[in-house]
Short mmCIF file of all heavy atoms in Angstrom, two decimals:
data_model
loop_
_atom_site.label_atom_id
_atom_site.label_comp_id
_atom_site.label_asym_id
_atom_site.label_seq_id
_atom_site.Cartn_x
_atom_site.Cartn_y
_atom_site.Cartn_z
N MET J 1 157.22 126.62 89.94
CA MET J 1 156.08 126.84 90.80
C MET J 1 155.90 128.33 90.97
O MET J 1 156.86 129.05 91.21
CB MET J 1 156.30 126.15 92.15
CG MET J 1 155.19 126.32 93.12
SD MET J 1 153.67 125.43 92.78
CE MET J 1 154.17 123.78 93.02
N GLN J 2 154.70 128.75 90.86
CA GLN J 2 154.35 130.17 91.01
C GLN J 2 153.57 130.36 92.31
O GLN J 2 153.06 129.36 92.88
CB GLN J 2 153.55 130.65 89.80
CG GLN J 2 154.37 130.63 88.54
CD GLN J 2 153.56 131.18 87.35
OE1 GLN J 2 152.34 131.24 87.39
NE2 GLN J 2 154.27 131.60 86.33
N PRO J 3 153.41 131.58 92.75
CA PRO J 3 152.66 131.82 94.00
C PRO J 3 151.29 131.17 93.94
O PRO J 3 150.66 131.09 92.89
CB PRO J 3 152.56 133.34 94.05
CG PRO J 3 153.73 133.84 93.24
CD PRO J 3 153.96 132.80 92.16
N GLY J 4 150.81 130.71 95.06
CA GLY J 4 149.51 130.07 95.12
C GLY J 4 149.48 128.68 94.62
O GLY J 4 148.44 128.08 94.40
N GLY J 5 150.65 128.07 94.41
CA GLY J 5 150.71 126.71 93.93
C GLY J 5 150.41 126.53 92.46
O GLY J 5 150.11 125.44 91.98
N ARG J 6 150.49 127.63 91.71
CA ARG J 6 150.18 127.55 90.28
C ARG J 6 151.41 127.11 89.49
O ARG J 6 152.55 127.42 89.83
CB ARG J 6 149.72 128.92 89.77
CG ARG J 6 148.36 129.31 90.33
CD ARG J 6 147.95 130.65 89.85
NE ARG J 6 148.81 131.62 90.57
CZ ARG J 6 148.99 132.86 90.20
NH1 ARG J 6 148.41 133.33 89.14
NH2 ARG J 6 149.77 133.67 90.92
N VAL J 7 151.15 126.38 88.43
CA VAL J 7 152.22 125.91 87.53
C VAL J 7 151.91 126.45 86.16
O VAL J 7 150.76 126.33 85.68
CB VAL J 7 152.27 124.37 87.50
CG1 VAL J 7 153.33 123.88 86.53
CG2 VAL J 7 152.53 123.81 88.88
N LYS J 8 152.87 127.05 85.51
CA LYS J 8 152.69 127.61 84.16
C LYS J 8 153.51 126.78 83.18
O LYS J 8 154.70 126.54 83.38
CB LYS J 8 153.14 129.07 84.12
CG LYS J 8 153.03 129.70 82.75
CD LYS J 8 153.49 131.14 82.79
CE LYS J 8 153.39 131.77 81.42
NZ LYS J 8 153.86 133.19 81.45
N LEU J 9 152.87 126.31 82.13
CA LEU J 9 153.56 125.55 81.09
C LEU J 9 153.58 126.34 79.81
O LEU J 9 152.57 126.93 79.39
CB LEU J 9 152.82 124.23 80.82
CG LEU J 9 152.63 123.30 82.03
CD1 LEU J 9 151.74 122.13 81.66
CD2 LEU J 9 153.99 122.81 82.50
N VAL J 10 154.72 126.34 79.14
CA VAL J 10 154.87 127.01 77.86
C VAL J 10 155.42 125.97 76.88
O VAL J 10 156.45 125.36 77.11
CB VAL J 10 155.83 128.21 77.94
CG1 VAL J 10 156.02 128.84 76.59
CG2 VAL J 10 155.34 129.21 78.96
N CYS J 11 154.68 125.75 75.78
CA CYS J 11 155.13 124.76 74.77
C CYS J 11 154.81 125.34 73.39
O CYS J 11 153.68 125.21 72.87
CB CYS J 11 154.43 123.45 74.98
SG CYS J 11 155.03 122.13 73.91
N PRO J 12 155.79 126.00 72.77
CA PRO J 12 155.56 126.64 71.46
C PRO J 12 155.09 125.67 70.37
O PRO J 12 154.47 126.09 69.38
CB PRO J 12 156.91 127.23 71.10
CG PRO J 12 157.71 127.27 72.35
CD PRO J 12 157.15 126.19 73.23
N GLU J 13 155.35 124.39 70.53
CA GLU J 13 154.97 123.41 69.50
C GLU J 13 153.47 123.16 69.44
O GLU J 13 152.96 122.66 68.48
CB GLU J 13 155.69 122.07 69.73
CG GLU J 13 157.20 122.12 69.63
CD GLU J 13 157.87 122.56 70.93
OE1 GLU J 13 157.22 122.55 72.00
OE2 GLU J 13 159.02 122.96 70.87
N LEU J 14 152.76 123.54 70.49
CA LEU J 14 151.31 123.31 70.54
C LEU J 14 150.57 124.47 69.90
O LEU J 14 150.96 125.60 70.02
CB LEU J 14 150.86 123.15 72.00
CG LEU J 14 151.41 121.94 72.76
CD1 LEU J 14 150.97 121.99 74.21
CD2 LEU J 14 150.99 120.64 72.10
N GLU J 15 149.45 124.13 69.28
CA GLU J 15 148.56 125.16 68.73
C GLU J 15 147.52 125.50 69.76
O GLU J 15 147.12 124.67 70.61
CB GLU J 15 147.89 124.62 67.47
CG GLU J 15 148.88 124.33 66.35
CD GLU J 15 148.16 123.77 65.10
OE1 GLU J 15 146.93 123.96 64.99
OE2 GLU J 15 148.86 123.19 64.26
N ALA J 16 147.01 126.73 69.71
CA ALA J 16 145.98 127.15 70.64
C ALA J 16 144.77 126.24 70.54
O ALA J 16 144.32 125.90 69.46
CB ALA J 16 145.57 128.61 70.31
N GLY J 17 144.27 125.80 71.67
CA GLY J 17 143.09 124.94 71.71
C GLY J 17 143.39 123.47 71.53
O GLY J 17 142.47 122.66 71.60
N GLN J 18 144.63 123.12 71.25
CA GLN J 18 144.96 121.71 71.02
C GLN J 18 144.92 120.98 72.36
O GLN J 18 145.48 121.42 73.34
CB GLN J 18 146.39 121.60 70.43
CG GLN J 18 146.81 120.20 70.14
CD GLN J 18 148.23 120.15 69.52
OE1 GLN J 18 148.81 121.19 69.20
NE2 GLN J 18 148.76 118.96 69.35
N PRO J 19 144.17 119.84 72.42
CA PRO J 19 144.08 119.10 73.67
C PRO J 19 145.44 118.43 74.01
O PRO J 19 146.15 117.94 73.14
CB PRO J 19 143.01 118.05 73.42
CG PRO J 19 142.96 117.92 71.93
CD PRO J 19 143.41 119.21 71.35
N VAL J 20 145.74 118.44 75.27
CA VAL J 20 146.98 117.78 75.77
C VAL J 20 146.68 117.13 77.11
O VAL J 20 145.69 117.46 77.77
CB VAL J 20 148.14 118.81 75.95
CG1 VAL J 20 148.53 119.44 74.65
CG2 VAL J 20 147.77 119.87 76.99
N ASP J 21 147.51 116.20 77.46
CA ASP J 21 147.45 115.59 78.79
C ASP J 21 148.64 116.13 79.58
O ASP J 21 149.80 116.12 79.11
CB ASP J 21 147.56 114.06 78.70
CG ASP J 21 146.32 113.42 78.10
OD1 ASP J 21 145.21 113.94 78.34
OD2 ASP J 21 146.49 112.42 77.38
N VAL J 22 148.37 116.57 80.77
CA VAL J 22 149.43 117.10 81.65
C VAL J 22 149.39 116.33 82.96
O VAL J 22 148.32 116.18 83.56
CB VAL J 22 149.25 118.62 81.92
CG1 VAL J 22 150.34 119.13 82.90
CG2 VAL J 22 149.28 119.39 80.62
N VAL J 23 150.54 115.84 83.38
CA VAL J 23 150.63 115.11 84.65
C VAL J 23 151.56 115.91 85.55
O VAL J 23 152.69 116.23 85.18
CB VAL J 23 151.20 113.69 84.43
CG1 VAL J 23 151.38 112.97 85.76
CG2 VAL J 23 150.31 112.89 83.50
N VAL J 24 151.08 116.21 86.73
CA VAL J 24 151.88 116.95 87.73
C VAL J 24 152.06 116.02 88.92
O VAL J 24 151.09 115.57 89.52
CB VAL J 24 151.20 118.27 88.16
CG1 VAL J 24 152.01 118.97 89.22
CG2 VAL J 24 150.99 119.15 86.93
N LEU J 25 153.31 115.76 89.26
CA LEU J 25 153.60 114.94 90.43
C LEU J 25 154.17 115.82 91.51
O LEU J 25 155.06 116.62 91.27
CB LEU J 25 154.62 113.83 90.06
CG LEU J 25 154.23 112.91 88.94
CD1 LEU J 25 155.36 111.95 88.60
CD2 LEU J 25 152.98 112.11 89.33
N HIS J 26 153.67 115.68 92.70
CA HIS J 26 154.17 116.45 93.84
C HIS J 26 154.92 115.56 94.77
O HIS J 26 154.37 114.56 95.29
CB HIS J 26 152.99 117.11 94.55
CG HIS J 26 153.40 117.83 95.80
ND1 HIS J 26 153.37 117.26 97.02
CD2 HIS J 26 153.91 119.08 95.99
CE1 HIS J 26 153.80 118.11 97.94
NE2 HIS J 26 154.13 119.21 97.31
N GLU J 27 156.19 115.87 94.98
CA GLU J 27 156.98 115.12 95.93
C GLU J 27 157.40 116.08 97.04
O GLU J 27 158.09 117.07 96.78
CB GLU J 27 158.22 114.54 95.26
CG GLU J 27 157.88 113.50 94.20
CD GLU J 27 159.10 112.88 93.56
OE1 GLU J 27 160.22 113.02 94.13
OE2 GLU J 27 158.93 112.26 92.52
N PRO J 28 156.98 115.83 98.23
CA PRO J 28 157.31 116.75 99.33
C PRO J 28 158.84 116.80 99.53
O PRO J 28 159.51 115.79 99.37
CB PRO J 28 156.64 116.15 100.57
CG PRO J 28 155.94 114.94 100.13
CD PRO J 28 156.18 114.72 98.68
N ALA J 29 159.31 117.98 99.81
CA ALA J 29 160.75 118.17 100.03
C ALA J 29 161.15 117.46 101.29
O ALA J 29 160.42 117.44 102.30
CB ALA J 29 161.07 119.66 100.13
N LEU J 30 162.34 116.85 101.28
CA LEU J 30 162.86 116.20 102.46
C LEU J 30 163.39 117.30 103.40
O LEU J 30 163.97 118.27 102.97
CB LEU J 30 164.01 115.26 102.09
CG LEU J 30 163.62 114.06 101.21
CD1 LEU J 30 164.87 113.27 100.83
CD2 LEU J 30 162.64 113.18 101.96
N PRO J 31 163.20 117.10 104.70
CA PRO J 31 163.73 118.10 105.64
C PRO J 31 165.24 118.09 105.61
O PRO J 31 165.86 117.05 105.41
CB PRO J 31 163.18 117.65 107.00
CG PRO J 31 162.90 116.18 106.82
CD PRO J 31 162.56 115.99 105.37
N HIS J 32 165.83 119.26 105.78
CA HIS J 32 167.29 119.36 105.79
C HIS J 32 167.79 118.76 107.10
O HIS J 32 167.31 119.07 108.17
CB HIS J 32 167.73 120.83 105.71
CG HIS J 32 169.20 120.98 105.89
ND1 HIS J 32 170.07 120.67 104.86
CD2 HIS J 32 169.95 121.35 106.94
CE1 HIS J 32 171.31 120.85 105.31
NE2 HIS J 32 171.26 121.30 106.54
N ARG J 33 168.74 117.84 106.97
CA ARG J 33 169.35 117.23 108.15
C ARG J 33 170.83 117.27 107.99
O ARG J 33 171.38 117.08 106.91
CB ARG J 33 168.92 115.78 108.28
CG ARG J 33 167.42 115.63 108.52
CD ARG J 33 167.02 114.22 108.92
NE ARG J 33 167.42 113.24 107.90
CZ ARG J 33 167.45 111.92 108.10
NH1 ARG J 33 167.06 111.43 109.23
NH2 ARG J 33 167.81 111.11 107.13
N SER J 34 171.54 117.51 109.07
CA SER J 34 172.98 117.53 109.05
C SER J 34 173.48 116.10 109.02
O SER J 34 172.73 115.14 109.28
CB SER J 34 173.56 118.22 110.30
OG SER J 34 173.32 117.42 111.46
N ALA J 35 174.77 115.94 108.71
CA ALA J 35 175.38 114.60 108.68
C ALA J 35 175.22 113.94 110.05
O ALA J 35 174.92 112.73 110.13
CB ALA J 35 176.83 114.68 108.29
N TRP J 36 175.41 114.66 111.12
CA TRP J 36 175.27 114.06 112.46
C TRP J 36 173.85 113.64 112.75
O TRP J 36 173.62 112.59 113.39
CB TRP J 36 175.73 115.07 113.55
CG TRP J 36 177.23 115.11 113.65
CD1 TRP J 36 178.03 116.16 113.42
CD2 TRP J 36 178.12 114.02 113.97
NE1 TRP J 36 179.35 115.82 113.58
CE2 TRP J 36 179.43 114.51 113.92
CE3 TRP J 36 177.92 112.68 114.29
CZ2 TRP J 36 180.54 113.71 114.19
CZ3 TRP J 36 179.02 111.90 114.54
CH2 TRP J 36 180.30 112.41 114.50
N GLN J 37 172.88 114.40 112.27
CA GLN J 37 171.49 113.98 112.50
C GLN J 37 171.18 112.67 111.75
O GLN J 37 170.47 111.81 112.27
CB GLN J 37 170.53 115.09 112.00
CG GLN J 37 170.51 116.31 112.90
CD GLN J 37 169.75 117.44 112.28
OE1 GLN J 37 169.83 117.68 111.07
NE2 GLN J 37 168.99 118.16 113.12
N ILE J 38 171.75 112.54 110.55
CA ILE J 38 171.54 111.29 109.79
C ILE J 38 172.21 110.13 110.48
O ILE J 38 171.65 109.05 110.66
CB ILE J 38 172.07 111.49 108.33
CG1 ILE J 38 171.19 112.51 107.62
CG2 ILE J 38 172.06 110.13 107.61
CD1 ILE J 38 171.75 112.97 106.29
N ILE J 39 173.46 110.34 110.90
CA ILE J 39 174.18 109.28 111.61
C ILE J 39 173.49 108.87 112.90
O ILE J 39 173.30 107.70 113.18
CB ILE J 39 175.63 109.71 111.89
CG1 ILE J 39 176.42 109.82 110.58
CG2 ILE J 39 176.33 108.80 112.88
CD1 ILE J 39 177.79 110.50 110.70
N ASN J 40 173.05 109.87 113.65
CA ASN J 40 172.38 109.57 114.94
C ASN J 40 171.03 108.94 114.75
O ASN J 40 170.49 108.36 115.70
CB ASN J 40 172.31 110.83 115.77
CG ASN J 40 173.64 111.23 116.33
OD1 ASN J 40 174.50 110.37 116.58
ND2 ASN J 40 173.87 112.52 116.53
N ALA J 41 170.44 109.06 113.58
CA ALA J 41 169.14 108.43 113.35
C ALA J 41 169.26 106.94 113.04
O ALA J 41 168.27 106.24 113.03
CB ALA J 41 168.44 109.13 112.16
N GLY J 42 170.49 106.49 112.82
CA GLY J 42 170.72 105.08 112.50
C GLY J 42 170.68 104.20 113.73
O GLY J 42 170.35 104.64 114.84
N PRO J 43 171.02 102.95 113.53
CA PRO J 43 171.02 102.01 114.66
C PRO J 43 171.93 102.49 115.79
O PRO J 43 172.96 103.09 115.57
CB PRO J 43 171.58 100.71 114.05
CG PRO J 43 171.47 100.89 112.59
CD PRO J 43 171.50 102.35 112.31
N ARG J 44 171.52 102.23 117.01
CA ARG J 44 172.30 102.68 118.16
C ARG J 44 173.52 101.84 118.42
O ARG J 44 174.46 102.27 119.08
CB ARG J 44 171.40 102.72 119.40
CG ARG J 44 170.33 103.75 119.30
CD ARG J 44 170.91 105.11 119.43
NE ARG J 44 169.94 106.11 119.08
CZ ARG J 44 170.21 107.26 118.55
NH1 ARG J 44 171.44 107.57 118.26
NH2 ARG J 44 169.29 108.12 118.25
N GLU J 45 173.55 100.64 117.92
CA GLU J 45 174.70 99.76 118.12
C GLU J 45 175.75 100.04 117.07
O GLU J 45 175.74 99.52 115.97
CB GLU J 45 174.26 98.30 118.03
CG GLU J 45 173.26 97.90 119.10
CD GLU J 45 173.87 97.94 120.51
OE1 GLU J 45 175.05 97.58 120.67
OE2 GLU J 45 173.14 98.34 121.43
N ARG J 46 176.69 100.94 117.38
CA ARG J 46 177.74 101.28 116.42
C ARG J 46 179.06 100.71 116.90
O ARG J 46 179.34 100.66 118.10
CB ARG J 46 177.88 102.80 116.29
CG ARG J 46 176.81 103.38 115.43
CD ARG J 46 177.05 104.85 115.19
NE ARG J 46 175.80 105.51 115.56
CZ ARG J 46 175.73 106.47 116.44
NH1 ARG J 46 176.75 106.97 117.03
NH2 ARG J 46 174.55 106.97 116.72
N LEU J 47 179.89 100.32 115.98
CA LEU J 47 181.19 99.75 116.31
C LEU J 47 182.08 100.82 116.92
O LEU J 47 182.78 100.57 117.91
CB LEU J 47 181.85 99.18 115.05
CG LEU J 47 183.20 98.48 115.23
CD1 LEU J 47 183.08 97.33 116.22
CD2 LEU J 47 183.69 97.99 113.88
N PHE J 48 182.03 102.02 116.40
CA PHE J 48 182.86 103.14 116.92
C PHE J 48 181.96 104.28 117.31
O PHE J 48 181.03 104.62 116.63
CB PHE J 48 183.84 103.62 115.83
CG PHE J 48 184.67 102.50 115.27
CD1 PHE J 48 184.47 102.06 113.96
CD2 PHE J 48 185.67 101.92 116.00
CE1 PHE J 48 185.24 101.04 113.43
CE2 PHE J 48 186.45 100.89 115.48
CZ PHE J 48 186.22 100.45 114.17
N LYS J 49 182.28 104.88 118.46
CA LYS J 49 181.52 106.03 118.93
C LYS J 49 182.21 107.36 118.64
O LYS J 49 181.55 108.38 118.61
CB LYS J 49 181.25 105.87 120.42
CG LYS J 49 180.37 104.70 120.77
CD LYS J 49 179.98 104.72 122.21
CE LYS J 49 179.25 103.55 122.72
NZ LYS J 49 178.48 102.74 121.90
N THR J 50 183.51 107.34 118.44
CA THR J 50 184.25 108.58 118.19
C THR J 50 185.24 108.39 117.06
O THR J 50 185.62 107.25 116.73
CB THR J 50 185.04 109.03 119.44
OG1 THR J 50 186.06 108.07 119.71
CG2 THR J 50 184.13 109.20 120.65
N ALA J 51 185.71 109.49 116.50
CA ALA J 51 186.72 109.44 115.46
C ALA J 51 188.02 108.85 116.02
O ALA J 51 188.73 108.13 115.31
CB ALA J 51 186.97 110.82 114.89
N GLN J 52 188.32 109.13 117.29
CA GLN J 52 189.54 108.61 117.91
C GLN J 52 189.48 107.09 117.98
O GLN J 52 190.51 106.42 117.74
CB GLN J 52 189.73 109.21 119.30
CG GLN J 52 191.06 108.81 119.94
CD GLN J 52 192.24 109.26 119.12
OE1 GLN J 52 192.33 110.43 118.74
NE2 GLN J 52 193.16 108.35 118.82
N GLU J 53 188.34 106.53 118.25
CA GLU J 53 188.21 105.05 118.27
C GLU J 53 188.49 104.47 116.89
O GLU J 53 189.10 103.43 116.77
CB GLU J 53 186.83 104.66 118.77
CG GLU J 53 186.58 104.89 120.24
CD GLU J 53 185.20 104.45 120.68
OE1 GLU J 53 184.46 103.85 119.88
OE2 GLU J 53 184.88 104.76 121.85
N VAL J 54 188.05 105.13 115.87
CA VAL J 54 188.32 104.67 114.48
C VAL J 54 189.82 104.75 114.21
O VAL J 54 190.41 103.79 113.70
CB VAL J 54 187.55 105.55 113.45
CG1 VAL J 54 187.97 105.16 112.03
CG2 VAL J 54 186.05 105.41 113.64
N ASP J 55 190.44 105.86 114.57
CA ASP J 55 191.90 106.02 114.35
C ASP J 55 192.67 104.94 115.10
O ASP J 55 193.61 104.35 114.58
CB ASP J 55 192.36 107.41 114.81
CG ASP J 55 191.90 108.51 113.90
OD1 ASP J 55 191.54 108.23 112.72
OD2 ASP J 55 191.88 109.69 114.34
N ASP J 56 192.29 104.69 116.37
CA ASP J 56 192.97 103.67 117.15
C ASP J 56 192.81 102.28 116.52
O ASP J 56 193.80 101.51 116.42
CB ASP J 56 192.41 103.63 118.58
CG ASP J 56 192.73 104.89 119.37
OD1 ASP J 56 193.65 105.67 118.92
OD2 ASP J 56 192.08 105.13 120.41
N TYR J 57 191.63 101.97 116.07
CA TYR J 57 191.37 100.68 115.41
C TYR J 57 192.24 100.52 114.16
O TYR J 57 192.88 99.48 113.95
CB TYR J 57 189.89 100.53 115.09
CG TYR J 57 189.61 99.30 114.27
CD1 TYR J 57 189.52 98.05 114.87
CD2 TYR J 57 189.39 99.40 112.90
CE1 TYR J 57 189.26 96.93 114.11
CE2 TYR J 57 189.15 98.26 112.12
CZ TYR J 57 189.08 97.02 112.74
OH TYR J 57 188.81 95.90 111.98
N LEU J 58 192.24 101.56 113.33
CA LEU J 58 193.03 101.50 112.12
C LEU J 58 194.51 101.38 112.39
O LEU J 58 195.25 100.65 111.69
CB LEU J 58 192.74 102.71 111.23
CG LEU J 58 191.32 102.77 110.64
CD1 LEU J 58 191.11 104.10 109.91
CD2 LEU J 58 191.07 101.59 109.73
N ALA J 59 195.00 102.09 113.42
CA ALA J 59 196.42 101.98 113.80
C ALA J 59 196.75 100.56 114.23
O ALA J 59 197.82 100.01 113.86
CB ALA J 59 196.72 102.96 114.92
N GLU J 60 195.85 99.93 114.98
CA GLU J 60 196.10 98.54 115.40
C GLU J 60 196.08 97.61 114.21
O GLU J 60 196.93 96.69 114.10
CB GLU J 60 195.00 98.10 116.38
CG GLU J 60 195.11 98.72 117.74
CD GLU J 60 193.95 98.31 118.64
OE1 GLU J 60 193.43 97.19 118.46
OE2 GLU J 60 193.57 99.11 119.51
N GLU J 61 195.18 97.83 113.26
CA GLU J 61 195.16 96.98 112.06
C GLU J 61 196.43 97.13 111.25
O GLU J 61 197.01 96.13 110.80
CB GLU J 61 193.94 97.34 111.18
CG GLU J 61 192.63 96.80 111.71
CD GLU J 61 192.59 95.29 111.69
OE1 GLU J 61 192.90 94.67 110.66
OE2 GLU J 61 192.31 94.71 112.77
N ARG J 62 196.88 98.36 111.03
CA ARG J 62 198.11 98.57 110.26
C ARG J 62 199.30 97.95 110.96
O ARG J 62 200.20 97.41 110.30
CB ARG J 62 198.30 100.08 110.05
CG ARG J 62 197.31 100.67 109.06
CD ARG J 62 197.62 102.15 108.80
NE ARG J 62 196.57 102.70 107.99
CZ ARG J 62 195.73 103.64 108.43
NH1 ARG J 62 195.85 104.16 109.63
NH2 ARG J 62 194.76 104.10 107.61
N ALA J 63 199.35 98.04 112.28
CA ALA J 63 200.48 97.47 113.04
C ALA J 63 200.47 95.94 112.89
O ALA J 63 201.56 95.35 112.82
CB ALA J 63 200.39 97.86 114.51
N SER J 64 199.30 95.33 112.79
CA SER J 64 199.24 93.88 112.63
C SER J 64 199.77 93.42 111.27
O SER J 64 200.20 92.28 111.13
CB SER J 64 197.80 93.40 112.83
OG SER J 64 197.00 93.71 111.73
N TRP J 65 199.79 94.29 110.29
CA TRP J 65 200.29 93.93 108.96
C TRP J 65 201.78 93.69 109.01
O TRP J 65 202.36 92.94 108.24
CB TRP J 65 200.02 95.01 107.94
CG TRP J 65 198.56 95.30 107.71
CD1 TRP J 65 197.49 94.56 108.12
CD2 TRP J 65 198.02 96.46 107.09
NE1 TRP J 65 196.33 95.18 107.77
CE2 TRP J 65 196.60 96.34 107.13
CE3 TRP J 65 198.57 97.60 106.49
CZ2 TRP J 65 195.77 97.30 106.58
CZ3 TRP J 65 197.73 98.52 105.93
CH2 TRP J 65 196.34 98.39 105.99
N ASP J 66 202.47 94.36 109.92
CA ASP J 66 203.94 94.28 109.99
C ASP J 66 204.38 93.06 110.83
O ASP J 66 205.57 92.76 110.89
CB ASP J 66 204.53 95.56 110.62
CG ASP J 66 204.24 96.76 109.74
OD1 ASP J 66 204.13 96.58 108.50
OD2 ASP J 66 204.12 97.87 110.28
N ARG J 67 203.50 92.41 111.51
CA ARG J 67 203.85 91.28 112.37
C ARG J 67 204.03 90.03 111.58
O ARG J 67 203.56 89.72 110.58
CB ARG J 67 202.79 91.03 113.42
CG ARG J 67 202.67 92.19 114.37
CD ARG J 67 201.64 91.90 115.45
NE ARG J 67 201.23 93.14 116.03
CZ ARG J 67 200.02 93.42 116.48
NH1 ARG J 67 199.09 92.50 116.44
NH2 ARG J 67 199.75 94.60 116.97
#
């Protein structure tokens, strides 16, 4: 992309004046979001609210394997 929204194409295989079809697709850039913004944008009903809750749950699960 060049200033002013211009696009320059260079194709040495083409001869001057040769007709071609050019298709330009514009996809808007996604806004930058942090991992927390993505997580917080999800459903509000989460099983775990903190990393400590995850650690506690996994510790309980591992302890149950030894029973």
Side-chain angles (χ1 to χ4, degrees):
M1 179 71 68
Q2 295 183 340
R6 291 179 288 162
V7 178
K8 179 180 178 180
L9 302 173
V10 177
C11 186
E13 297 83 17
L14 296 175
E15 295 179 19
Q18 182 179 353
V20 297
D21 291 324
V22 177
V23 178
V24 178
L25 302 175
H26 174 265
E27 295 183 15
L30 296 175
H32 174 76
R33 297 190 302 166
S34 71
W36 281 118
Q37 289 171 320
I38 294 169
I39 291 169
N40 287 330
R44 294 288 169 212
E45 298 294 322
R46 281 186 233 125
L47 183 58
F48 306 110
K49 294 189 187 333
T50 66
Q52 186 60 51
E53 289 180 8
V54 174
D55 289 340
D56 294 343
Y57 173 79
L58 292 174
E60 288 177 29
E61 282 296 308
R62 289 184 187 114
S64 72
W65 300 344
D66 297 331
R67 294 183 201 147

